[in-house]
Amino acid sequence: MKYLTLKEIKPFLLSALSGILLTLTFPEYNLEVFAWIAWIPLFLAIENATPQRAALLGFVTGMVFYNLGLSWINNTLINYGNLHWILSFAVLGLLSAYLSFFIALFCYFLRRVCVENRIQFFILAPVLWTSFEYLRSTHSKYGFSWLGLGYSQFQNLPVIQLAEWTGVYGISWLILLVNSGLYLSWRCWREQKQNPFELKEGWRILSVTLFVFSLWFVYGTQYLKETLSSTTNRPHIKVGLVQGNVEQFMKWNPIYQNQVIEKYKDLTLKAAKENPALIIWPETATPFYFEESKTETEMMRNLAREIKIPLLFGSPHRKKINGEQIYFNSAYLLSSSGETLNRYDKSHLVPFGEFVPFRKILFFIEKLVVMIGDFGRGTEATVMETAGNKAGISICYEMIFPDLMRQAVKNGANYLVNITNDAWFGKSAASYQHMSMGALRAVENRVPILRAANTGISGTIEATGKIRDKTDLFVKGFRITLIAPASNKKTFYSLNGDVFSWVCLLVTGLIAIAACTRNIKNEL
């Protein structure tokens, strides 16, 4: 039997190390400093590898990273989807493999195009990664931006401020630039004995890396200082966020319907004593179909009249379209006099939660949400007028999609509301990861975000990305919070979207064409 040598195993160990370091940068670990060095072990692993072997090593990094970082999916599928643990791990493995494919592709191109050219590596690595991360995140139906690299820095406020120009993908670009710069500098210093010129090149690369990072950091620091002084005197509105902490098994069980309603009613009456301009309930807070269940609907209208405060809440609704009953996950706004002012229908559905992707292949999986058939999709980025301002509404998973969230701001919203039910996640890192992504949405659009979650985390995200007034997980209560709605001025990102990522995609496409042309010439 032939045993693998340490030299043969080492690249795989280095690849796995990158996967572990990447995992540690995200909630709940929040060791975001590791993001700036996490890719270096992988770069060392693929140093002298063929493009094909580099792709394999990149795939290893991805499988370690995504299986660890998304391990909460097992909790959801086993405990709420009633899936056997073997099938649950298989689903997680398939998702991780799909996401790892992009890291594999990144490593393949890096070795194929750059070979040993360090300057090309330094310039192209951030561009290539940004392109691939953007592609995996933006598919209209199956896009998945969870664990996008830029989100790791949600607590590093100076670093994320430039997202108002570049979106979250610009933060990913910066992280790869720093990783590439540090790796190449160290490599040059390591090889200076063979070639003294390497030392000078190493210092040049490091200098550019530090210069770009410093400019980025200074911009963010200066913006935070100016914002602190300018927002003090701006008009604020007071909002109540209600967190019912309703267990998943209770939500649609008729036995518990009155108990759930009374819980939210009691919390709302307590929050109303603080005289907020708006009270927000979470996603599907009502255990009935609003405007269909007459008694319960009138109860909601009477509650709004009693407290004399507008109510924004999540409730499903259904209607027949072409003879078929279609369900929608919706948000309703009631006026202080109990009138229905507006409704928003969720447009980006949760895979396995509200529809089953690739149903023919994954025939053994049913949706987690107890409804017949897949949910319908809304078509508009609805803006609701309340408390003298305009709110852009999103439900649950929609908060992780930058382009989707900016549409409401582009349409006139000067603050955003996200209602969600994260009970599916249990006490796992998922709720923390979900909340952290909102920080980038706030910065990209320079608007505050209000978040009401059934089991947490509820809270406020300022336009700088700072998270405050947040609740703990799985506790019943409410938060009274103040926000300063944005002015009519829109950010570059709100108006134009992912221009930065499009440029990276264009450069990647040109690189691919150049590489193919070069290969054809070599063959001739």
Side-chain angles (χ1 to χ4, degrees), residues 240-255:
L241 306 174
V242 175
Q243 181 170 304
N245 191 33
V246 177
E247 291 286 343
Q248 202 58 37
F249 74 89
M250 296 172 64
K251 290 182 76 67
W252 289 99
N253 190 327
I255 297 172

Side-chain angles (χ1 to χ4, degrees), residues 10 12 32 110 151 181-182 208 222 240 267 373 401 404 433 505 509 513:
K10 187 178 177 181
F12 293 95
E32 64 266 20
L110 210 52
Y151 294 117
L182 294 177
V208 173
Q222 188 60 34
L267 289 169
F401 297 100
L404 180 65
Q433 292 171 1
L505 273 173
I513 292 169

Side-chain angles (χ1 to χ4, degrees), residues 10 77 139 172 216 237 241 308 377 444 451 486 496 501:
K10 187 178 177 181
L77 292 178
H139 188 284
S172 299
W216 199 288
I237 60 171
L241 306 174
K308 296 182 175 61
R377 297 172 185 269
E444 286 163 351
R451 189 168 192 261
N496 303 290
S501 299

Side-chain angles (χ1 to χ4, degrees), residues 188-370:
C188 287
W189 297 332
R190 185 186 66 186
E191 297 174 3
Q192 63 174 301
K193 291 181 180 178
Q194 285 80 25
N195 184 357
F197 178 74
E198 300 283 359
L199 182 61
K200 189 179 290 186
E201 185 173 330
W203 278 114
R204 275 203 298 263
I205 293 172
L206 182 62
S207 299
V208 173
T209 304
L210 294 177
F211 179 71
V212 172
F213 181 82
S214 298
L215 282 180
W216 199 288
F217 196 85
V218 168
Y219 175 91
T221 303
Q222 188 60 34
Y223 181 87
L224 291 171
K225 285 180 181 178
E226 292 174 1
T227 301
L228 187 63
S229 59
S230 65
T231 56
T232 307
N233 299 320
R234 277 171 52 193
H236 286 63
I237 60 171
K238 187 189 291 186
V239 179
L241 306 174
V242 175
Q243 181 170 304
N245 191 33
V246 177
E247 291 286 343
Q248 202 58 37
F249 74 89
M250 296 172 64
K251 290 182 76 67
W252 289 99
N253 190 327
I255 297 172
Y256 300 103
Q257 186 182 65
N258 290 335
Q259 184 179 333
V260 171
I261 292 171
E262 286 303 314
K263 180 182 285 194
Y264 273 105
K265 186 176 179 180
D266 178 61
L267 289 169
T268 300
L269 291 172
K270 289 177 179 177
K273 292 177 181 178
E274 302 287 336
N275 296 314
L278 174 68
I279 291 179
I280 304 172
W281 292 9
E283 174 189 15
T284 57
T286 63
F288 56 86
Y289 293 92
F290 186 74
E291 294 188 329
E292 184 177 325
S293 304
K294 292 183 180 179
T295 303
E296 290 79 9
T297 296
E298 192 58 28
M299 180 278 299
M300 290 293 295
R301 298 193 191 283
N302 288 334
L303 178 60
R305 293 176 190 128
E306 180 182 352
I307 62 177
K308 296 182 175 61
I309 298 169
L311 270 177
L312 176 62
F313 59 93
S315 177
H317 89 279
R318 55 191 173 186
K319 60 183 177 182
K320 281 197 172 181
I321 301 175
N322 297 325
E324 184 182 358
Q325 188 91 284
I326 305 295
Y327 294 84
F328 293 88
N329 188 350
S330 305
Y332 287 86
L333 177 64
L334 294 184
S335 71
S336 57
S337 59
E339 300 173 78
T340 301
L341 296 178
N342 214 329
R343 189 190 77 220
Y344 166 71
D345 295 331
K346 187 178 183 182
S347 62
H348 202 118
L349 305 181
V350 180
F352 305 110
E354 293 161 324
F355 79 104
V356 178
F358 313 113
R359 187 178 281 276
K360 289 184 179 179
I361 300 172
L362 303 175
F363 59 89
F364 52 86
I365 297 177
E366 285 301 323
K367 292 188 294 87
L368 301 180
V369 180
V370 186

